[in-house]
Amino acid sequence: RLPCSPSRVLHVRHIPRDVTEEEVISLGLPFGRVTNILMLKGRGQAFLEMASEEAAVTMVNYYSPAAPHLHSQPVYIQYSSHREINTDNLSNQARAQAVLHTVSAMQAGSPTAANAFAAEGGLFPGQGSVLWIIVENLFYPVTIEVLHQVFSRFGYVLKIVIFSKNDQFQALLQYADPMSAYHAKIALNGQSIYTTCCTLHIDFSKLNSLTVKYNNAKSRDFTRFDLPFGDSQPPMEPYVPADSGKKPSLLMSSDAINTLPGLLFPAFSGPLGVLAVTTSVVSGQMTPGILSVPRNSVLLVSNLNPEVITPHGLFILFGVYGDVHRVKIMFKKKENALVQMADATQAQLAISNLNGQRLYGRVLHATFSKHLMIQLPHERQDDEGLTKDYSNSPFHRFKKPGSKNFQNVFPPSDTLHLSNIPPSVTADDLKNLFASTGSTVNAFRFLQNNSKTALIQMGSVEEAVHALIEFHNYDFGENHHLGVSFSKSTV
């Protein structure tokens, strides 16, 4: 069938026979209001009418790269040649309008309509508000913050608990209501957070509610900010919904939906969203993923050790996960700093890997700043060198297309990868260099008889972080600057 021009009526194909109107409607709900539906169950097809052509275009662009699933079966969505749904079958029309009316009532927050509909075996019979999530192909770190940003598009997220079971990354996520959980499952099951990796497999949990005792990297209750953080994790900043004081909407606005799918506007250059990050092995360029969130590239870094931290140190550390353009340590509160990355994708990668990491005896806390950029001081303003511009630094790791650095981004570990080692430098020279600051060197070896690269294991992850800050770009002379990065290998 030849592709049709955009229309607010969408043709949905390969629908399982036991799928309901409500489930098909749920495919369109995150993108705008659904005004009509026509089910052709005998043919495994349906027609879905959106309130606007813009909403229909957004929906098609979102689902085209990765088909949504209904009852574990992929369904396919394309524009219809029809401009509106018209049918002479009055019973079909009555059924469709009744379903749409009930769904609208539930969107408006009518518990009576929701309970009555569920009792009649409607949208979510026997399904609660807790989702069980498994993330496969975990190439990039997935944190509570990442999950919250992804799933909060479909409703108000109350609690998240992450854990590992059977060597799999798993999570439990509780919504404020079952309908939000249902919409999220329909829209996100089988999708990938990042292109080709971090794939979500979602089902309903048998739990009715989650119990959260700590607000830390493993668990979070977004309704309580008085909980202890435990395990030496930093206290979290309170989460305040955008429409604080109002009931969270189950649907996103048309403005919000424009920032939803990272693949929606592939012609854009620069950040499409903080979750839209992956690396093309062929080109070495960061490409958008299916999901994305706000576009800020400035980080707020807090709980720093003011006696030791410097702009250069933050430039080196955060530069592991992207190109740092500017750094500003607060003049009056030197425990806090702003770090401006090249784009929001790199900013999210830095948060995912560095938030909660120990640095100079303290637990670093990284989150997005309300600032969109770091202002440089005026010519007459002396900030004691606490603000630095690194926009044109020759030591950016990711400025060269196709660089292997794109393929070797790992969380902090006690083992460091060393590169660009001069032929005259021996193993003892390097071990003595890395021990010169008082750190412990547990092991060392050159890689594959290649004296230019090596692995060195420090006494702890924190010591490795300090060593990376101290010795990355170390000048051996004759244009030999030592490259230091975190390794996933062991010595």
Side-chain angles (χ1 to χ4, degrees):
R1 176 174 177 174
L2 295 175
C4 299
S5 59
S7 166
R8 66 190 184 98
V9 178
L10 301 174
H11 183 210
V12 187
R13 299 178 292 118
H14 292 191
I15 297 175
R17 287 182 176 273
D18 55 345
V19 163
T20 65
E21 286 95 336
E22 297 80 34
E23 291 173 303
V24 177
I25 291 171
S26 290
L27 294 174
L29 287 178
F31 305 94
R33 189 166 60 89
V34 178
T35 55
N36 208 347
I37 183 172
L38 174 62
M39 295 284 287
L40 303 174
K41 290 190 176 183
R43 301 179 184 179
Q45 301 179 27
F47 290 91
L48 198 67
E49 182 182 286
M50 304 299 292
S52 68
E53 186 176 297
E54 180 186 8
V57 170
T58 303
M59 180 175 170
V60 169
N61 286 339
Y62 179 63
Y63 286 130
S64 292
H69 287 65
L70 293 175
H71 295 198
S72 302
Q73 178 176 314
V75 297
Y76 302 94
I77 302 172
Q78 63 189 32
Y79 299 117
S80 170
S81 58
H82 302 286
R83 293 295 175 250
E84 61 180 348
I85 295 178
N86 288 315
T87 176
D88 294 331
N89 190 317
L90 296 180
S91 62
N92 284 347
Q93 280 283 41
R95 166 66 183 172
Q97 293 305 314
V99 171
L100 290 169
H101 176 76
T102 305
V103 171
S104 298
M106 288 188 288
Q107 292 170 8
S110 169
T112 303
N115 293 336
F117 197 42
E120 294 175 2
L123 185 62
F124 37 83
Q127 297 165 354
S129 57
V130 179
L131 295 178
W132 175 29
I133 304 161
I134 297 176
V135 184
E136 291 186 344
N137 194 17
L138 197 69
F139 187 78
Y140 288 108
V142 174
T143 63
I144 283 181
E145 286 78 14
V146 170
L147 291 174
H148 183 268
Q149 288 163 343
V150 171
F151 283 84
S152 61
R153 306 176 186 286
F154 302 93
Y156 186 38
V157 176
L158 300 181
K159 304 170 186 177
I160 302 177
V161 176
I162 62 176
F163 56 96
S164 178
K165 185 176 181 181
N166 300 327
D167 294 327
Q168 287 182 316
F169 178 97
Q170 302 190 27
L172 293 170
L173 183 145
Q174 181 180 346
Y175 277 106
D177 59 276
M179 190 174 183
S180 297
Y182 182 85
H183 292 163
K185 180 182 183 300
I186 290 294
L188 298 177
N189 187 34
Q191 305 282 9
S192 295
I193 297 177
Y194 304 90
T195 305
T196 72
C197 70
C198 299
T199 304
L200 298 168
H201 298 280
I202 306 171
D203 208 338
F204 289 98
S205 170
K206 295 180 180 179
L207 298 174
N208 294 321
S209 180
L210 299 180
T211 300
V212 173
K213 297 181 179 179
Y214 303 103
N215 280 341
N216 58 26
K218 296 294 184 182
S219 60
R220 196 75 50 81
D221 185 336
F222 294 96
T223 67
R224 292 189 58 188
F225 311 116
D226 57 323
L227 294 178
F229 44 87
D231 300 329
S232 298
Q233 294 291 336
M236 306 306 300
E237 293 184 356
Y239 170 76
V240 181
D243 54 347
S244 181
K246 301 179 182 179
K247 186 182 185 300
S249 173
L250 295 177
L251 296 179
M252 293 171 290
S253 66
S254 58
D255 291 333
I257 199 67
N258 286 336
T259 63
L260 173 60
L263 291 179
L264 227 149
F265 307 106
F268 277 5
S269 60
L272 292 179
V274 298
L275 296 184
V277 57
T278 187
T279 301
S280 167
V281 176
V282 177
S283 66
Q285 297 294 318
M286 289 193 175
T287 58
I290 291 174
L291 304 170
S292 63
V293 290
R295 305 179 180 181
N296 193 6
S297 62
V298 179
L299 304 177
L300 171 62
V301 186
S302 56
N303 202 34
L304 298 168
N305 188 334
E307 302 297 325
V308 188
I309 200 64
T310 64
H312 176 76
L314 292 173
F315 166 71
I316 296 296
L317 178 58
F318 281 79
V320 173
Y321 303 103
D323 292 337
V324 177
H325 283 190
R326 292 178 180 176
V327 177
K328 180 183 185 67
I329 296 177
M330 303 300 188
F331 186 80
K332 294 183 178 180
K333 294 183 178 180
K334 294 183 173 62
E335 297 85 358
N336 301 325
L338 298 176
V339 177
Q340 182 175 335
M341 309 295 290
D343 58 50
T345 62
Q346 298 177 9
Q348 175 61 47
L349 200 57
I351 289 177
S352 299
N353 285 279
L354 294 177
N355 185 44
Q357 173 59 49
R358 292 191 66 84
L359 177 65
Y360 300 127
R362 295 191 178 189
V363 178
L364 177 150
H365 180 29
T367 186
F368 285 100
S369 169
K370 64 181 180 181
H371 301 285
L372 299 180
M373 68 176 296
I374 295 177
Q375 297 288 347
L376 296 177
H378 302 298
E379 293 183 1
R380 298 180 180 179
Q381 182 181 355
D382 182 15
D383 73 340
E384 300 180 358
L386 297 177
T387 305
K388 295 289 185 180
D389 187 357
Y390 298 99
S391 302
N392 299 315
S393 172
F395 298 119
H396 286 159
R397 294 178 185 252
F398 305 101
K399 64 178 181 178
K400 184 186 296 184
S403 169
K404 289 185 178 180
N405 290 336
F406 285 97
Q407 306 169 36
N408 296 295
V409 178
F410 304 110
S413 65
D414 62 359
T415 302
L416 299 172
H417 180 272
L418 311 181
S419 60
N420 203 32
I421 302 170
S424 59
V425 174
T426 66
D428 286 339
D429 291 335
L430 289 167
K431 287 191 285 186
N432 291 334
L433 176 66
F434 277 76
S436 63
T437 58
S439 297
T440 302
V441 176
N442 286 341
F444 177 93
R445 68 177 172 92
F446 284 109
L447 294 177
Q448 300 176 347
N449 298 321
N450 182 355
S451 60
K452 291 185 178 180
T453 59
L455 294 177
I456 186 168
Q457 184 181 8
M458 308 303 294
S460 66
V461 175
E462 185 176 4
E463 286 191 0
V465 172
H466 299 167
L468 181 140
I469 293 174
E470 185 71 24
F471 298 116
H472 180 61
N473 293 329
Y474 182 86
D475 191 358
F476 283 112
E478 299 181 0
N479 201 30
H480 282 285
H481 288 87
L482 182 67
V484 184
S485 58
F486 298 114
S487 175
K488 66 176 181 179
S489 305
T490 56
V491 180

